[in-house]
Amino acid sequence: MSTLYIARFIISFSWIYHGIFPKLLHIAPLEHAMTASIGLSETTSYWITKSAGVAEVVFGLCVFIYFRVRWVIYLNILALTGLLMLVALLYPVVLIDAFNPVTTNITLIALSLILLNSLNQKKG
């Protein structure tokens, strides 16, 4: 399997997994704590988390389908960077936990850069 497809599968899988399991099937305590830290009501926090889960699944499917479209990969890098900064602002204690967004997001950004490099090699 080529590097292009490995990066595609891992990036897509990560978005889809993080949308389904800690947000849609069961709201993980950490997800709840992060949305609650904004000061929203329980109901609003619940629906924001569920909506984020749907958005992550849809985006993961978009990355899977449109992995050869560079702006989708750039949007992925932007989203991962933005989410990392959002966590750093809203709930910074998470950044030092095990399996934290620093290691996850930076790894996915690196895979995105590998994907872009692979696309550039195929083009040129």
Side-chain angles (χ1 to χ4, degrees):
M1 183 179 294
S2 74
T3 305
L4 179 87
Y5 289 106
I6 293 170
R8 170 194 185 195
F9 290 132
I10 296 299
I11 295 166
S12 300
F13 171 77
S14 183
W15 280 106
I16 293 166
Y17 182 92
H18 284 274
I20 291 174
F21 292 101
K23 293 179 186 76
L24 292 176
L25 292 181
H26 163 75
I27 295 179
L30 180 58
E31 294 289 344
H32 181 288
M34 284 192 291
T35 54
S37 72
I38 307 171
L40 302 172
S41 70
E42 282 289 320
T43 303
T44 304
S45 178
Y46 173 85
W47 286 111
I48 286 175
T49 303
K50 292 294 184 180
S51 298
V54 170
E56 288 181 13
V57 170
V58 169
F59 188 69
L61 291 171
C62 286
V63 170
F64 185 80
I65 295 166
Y66 301 110
F67 70 101
R68 293 184 189 274
V69 178
R70 283 173 179 73
W71 69 262
V72 171
I73 306 308
Y74 286 118
L75 182 59
N76 178 57
I77 292 168
L78 182 66
L80 290 166
T81 303
L83 288 169
L84 182 58
M85 291 187 321
L86 187 66
V87 169
L89 287 172
L90 295 178
Y91 217 73
V93 69
V94 175
L95 301 177
I96 58 172
D97 283 345
F99 306 107
N100 64 62
V102 173
T103 57
T104 304
N105 289 30
I106 289 174
T107 301
L108 291 172
I109 290 168
L111 284 171
S112 300
L113 294 172
I114 290 169
L115 184 57
L116 284 171
N117 186 47
S118 182
L119 290 172
N120 288 335
Q121 287 178 358
K122 297 244 186 226
K123 182 181 176 185

